[in-house]
Amino acid sequence: MELPDFMSYANKFSQSEFVEKISRIAKRAGAKLVYAALILFYTLQSDQISAKDKAIIIGALGYLISPLDVVPDAIPIVGLGDDLAVLVYVLKKVWTDVDPTIKERAREKLSKWFDEDEISEIDTILD
């Protein structure tokens, strides 16, 4: 799958819309997508990340929030696949700079929507 120009979605990002969207789609989206989104969201709030990395994170989260993307989210099964691809792509770019406490915070937040079996799927997020 070819990635869309997710940077053009940077102006779509807002904290409140991110929280609302994740809360609304969490169970349907799956633990991997939610975990990737939460890590990027929490990393964005860190002062230990470069401005360049913050820009690509904002683009990816804006893409997630936007109702206008390559594959509309309403399409069952594949609708969130492009969103996951964008989030994982950006997560791979910033992974080495993600503080372990952010990873743990995101994992803890997953328990709000997922059981332990579903949460164990995140162990292969970068595969």
Side-chain angles (χ1 to χ4, degrees):
M1 172 193 306
E2 185 175 323
L3 289 177
D5 178 17
F6 62 88
M7 288 305 296
S8 64
Y9 291 84
N11 64 339
K12 305 282 188 211
F13 176 75
S14 80
Q15 251 186 336
S16 61
E17 287 183 44
F18 171 80
V19 171
E20 187 276 326
K21 174 111 183 201
I22 285 295
S23 297
R24 185 170 37 86
I25 69 163
K27 200 64 173 170
R28 182 170 56 99
K32 282 185 178 183
L33 185 144
V34 175
Y35 183 64
L38 288 171
I39 286 179
L40 293 175
F41 179 71
Y42 295 145
T43 299
L44 184 62
Q45 299 168 7
S46 170
D47 59 354
Q48 298 177 349
I49 196 92
S50 72
K52 178 185 169 201
D53 286 346
K54 284 187 178 195
I56 65 170
I57 290 171
I58 289 170
L61 295 178
Y63 186 81
L64 173 66
I65 291 169
S66 177
L68 304 172
D69 53 23
V70 174
V71 180
D73 296 346
I75 297 174
I77 302 170
V78 297
L80 293 167
D82 60 322
D83 298 271
L84 178 59
V86 166
L87 294 175
V88 170
Y89 173 80
V90 172
L91 192 56
K92 285 180 177 181
K93 287 197 160 300
V94 301
W95 188 253
T96 58
D97 295 327
V98 176
D99 189 281
T101 59
I102 288 175
K103 295 173 189 175
E104 185 55 35
R105 184 176 173 198
R107 188 180 188 94
E108 287 172 10
K109 185 72 171 177
L110 287 180
S111 65
K112 178 176 180 178
W113 298 293
F114 303 98
D115 62 31
E116 275 305 312
D117 286 342
E118 293 168 310
I119 292 173
S120 67
E121 294 176 11
I122 67 171
D123 296 335
T124 60
I125 192 148
L126 297 180
D127 294 343

